[in-house]
Amino acid sequence: MSTQPDLLYSEEGEALRSAVRDLLTDHCDAPGVIARTESDAPHDLAAWKALADGMGLAGLLVPEELGGQGASHREAAVVLEELGRAVAPVPYLTSAVVATEALLACGDAELLGRLASGRTIGALAVGLHVAPGAAFDAARVEDGLLHGELTGIADALAADVLLVPGDDGGLYAVEAAAVTVTPRPALDLTRPPATVTLDGAAGRRLGDAEPAVRRALRAGAGLLASEQFGVAEWALTETVRYLKERKQFNRPVGGFQALKHRLAQLWLEVVNLRAAARGAADALASGEDTDVLVAVAQAYAGPVAVRAAEEALQLHAGIGMTWEHPIHLYLKRAKADSIAFGTAGAHRETLAGLVDLQAP
């Protein structure tokens, strides 16, 4: 019998939030993130080292006996809320969640320990747009070597090891030095995609690709909702603060009733997004109704995060349109996240099938 999901934060979760927020305040201030997007090094490896090595957050989902923290998806969701709030250019979702979940499915203790320490960054070589359960591209396996081109691989530029599905049904660990990683133009400059080209690369077979990729993408989709909530909450909070300070006709802009109504409606949507994201995180942690609650979260999260960022841009008026203001980072992250791990429409179709709801 299923139990009611726990949507509340624990004391430990709030303490974790405070620690992560303090660290990101020091490492990922808005001017620094904007400057990094203009450089040839989009990933903030110093912030990643502080999060992963200093705080041990790369191993949250890894059991203690394998060198991790033995925590749950509920704690990882808190971290992702804060990373979304800072649009932090670190490979946490791709390495500490998606690649780690794939390795947990395969049971590879050696590589799990490396990722849990934070000293090795992993990336699953499946396009970021692929939804859980959808078909994915695979490399060609010939004489034990991997060949082919895989596109849309998020954070491949920062990865030390790639987890590559093969057309023989296996999942292979391939050192990044053995492949060619080519950056591609991206809307979200804080999580750049790349094309991975394999030309006879050697790989170590970890296990079966299908269940590992399915598990990894499901966890990625479920916890992405927490990142999207962080983006949306920042947009709402900053917009309310700005409208209280900005004056027109000698009164705060936020005092105009039309803007109050817009912000009240947005607040309701953001609160609902938090509930959906917490529901998905709890389901991943408990294993109950996981597919349904992940689909619910992703059917709702993308449009709300995009709308929150769009409202922030519009209500900040002229200053919001400048490159120096960080709103564009949040809008780009929200737009990119809205198609990551499947679109909202794809998740609604999945949800309809899961709950036996037929189209009219």
Side-chain angles (χ1 to χ4, degrees):
M1 186 176 71
S2 64
T3 58
Q4 290 285 72
D6 182 2
L7 306 185
L8 301 178
Y9 301 100
S10 65
E11 290 185 11
E12 293 81 3
E14 292 295 358
L16 175 61
R17 177 193 309 284
S18 178
V20 174
R21 185 173 296 188
D22 287 346
L23 187 149
L24 293 175
T25 299
D26 293 336
H27 284 83
C28 290
D29 62 303
V33 175
I34 293 172
R36 188 165 290 282
T37 64
E38 298 173 318
S39 72
D40 294 330
H43 295 95
D44 190 340
L45 296 183
W48 168 255
K49 180 177 174 61
L51 286 164
D53 194 9
M55 296 182 66
L57 300 185
L60 279 183
L61 299 179
V62 179
E64 291 184 48
E65 60 269 21
L66 297 178
Q69 302 299 317
S72 76
H73 300 82
R74 293 170 56 82
E75 288 72 37
V78 171
V79 175
L80 280 162
E81 285 181 18
E82 293 304 313
L83 294 177
R85 191 175 284 110
V87 284
V90 295
Y92 189 86
L93 180 67
T94 47
S95 183
V97 175
V98 176
T100 294
E101 287 280 349
L103 291 173
L104 286 168
C106 295
D108 191 277
E110 185 271 334
L111 194 48
L112 268 172
R114 286 168 56 190
L115 262 62
S117 72
R119 296 182 178 90
T120 295
I121 297 172
L124 180 67
V126 172
L128 186 62
H129 63 282
V130 177
F136 51 88
D137 293 334
R140 190 174 72 258
V141 182
E142 291 183 1
D143 300 324
L145 300 178
L146 299 166
H147 303 262
E149 187 175 273
L150 302 171
T151 60
I153 312 304
D155 292 336
L157 291 167
D160 302 301
V161 61
L162 295 161
L163 309 182
V164 181
D167 62 1
D168 62 348
L171 185 68
Y172 293 85
V174 179
E175 295 298 321
V179 305
T180 301
V181 179
T182 307
R184 294 302 183 198
L187 177 63
D188 179 11
L189 300 176
T190 62
R191 183 177 286 149
T195 296
V196 174
T197 305
L198 304 106
D199 187 12
R204 177 169 63 87
R205 184 173 175 130
L206 303 169
D208 294 335
E210 182 67 31
V213 171
R214 182 182 297 271
R215 172 173 173 169
L217 296 184
R218 185 177 69 173
L223 292 182
L224 177 69
S226 292
E227 176 181 289
Q228 291 166 301
F229 167 65
V231 168
E233 188 180 47
W234 179 93
L236 174 62
T237 301
E238 284 301 304
T239 303
V240 170
R241 182 190 62 77
Y242 176 76
L243 293 182
K244 286 180 177 180
E245 297 174 354
R246 177 78 167 88
K247 289 187 177 181
Q248 193 166 15
F249 306 115
N250 205 31
R251 62 179 289 191
V253 174
F256 292 101
Q257 191 173 40
L259 299 189
K260 286 183 178 180
H261 288 173
R262 287 173 68 171
L263 291 171
Q265 178 61 39
L266 185 59
W267 180 83
L268 287 173
E269 293 180 18
V270 172
V271 169
N272 288 337
L273 171 52
R274 176 169 57 192
R278 292 303 292 170
D282 184 72
L284 287 165
S286 67
E288 294 189 7
D289 297 326
T290 308
D291 291 334
V292 169
L293 288 172
V294 167
V296 166
Q298 275 307 312
Y300 189 75
V304 172
V306 170
R307 204 174 87 77
E310 288 176 342
E311 286 286 83
L313 181 66
Q314 290 185 16
L315 295 178
H316 274 76
I319 186 65
M321 294 296 294
T322 65
W323 184 261
E324 290 75 15
H325 199 286
I327 287 180
H328 63 93
L329 296 175
Y330 291 85
L331 180 56
K332 292 169 184 174
R333 173 65 69 88
K335 292 289 283 186
D337 281 356
S338 70
I339 59 172
F341 304 112
T343 63
H347 287 283
R348 284 193 291 270
E349 289 185 15
T350 298
L351 180 61
L354 290 170
V355 298
D356 197 25
L357 180 64
Q358 301 302 315

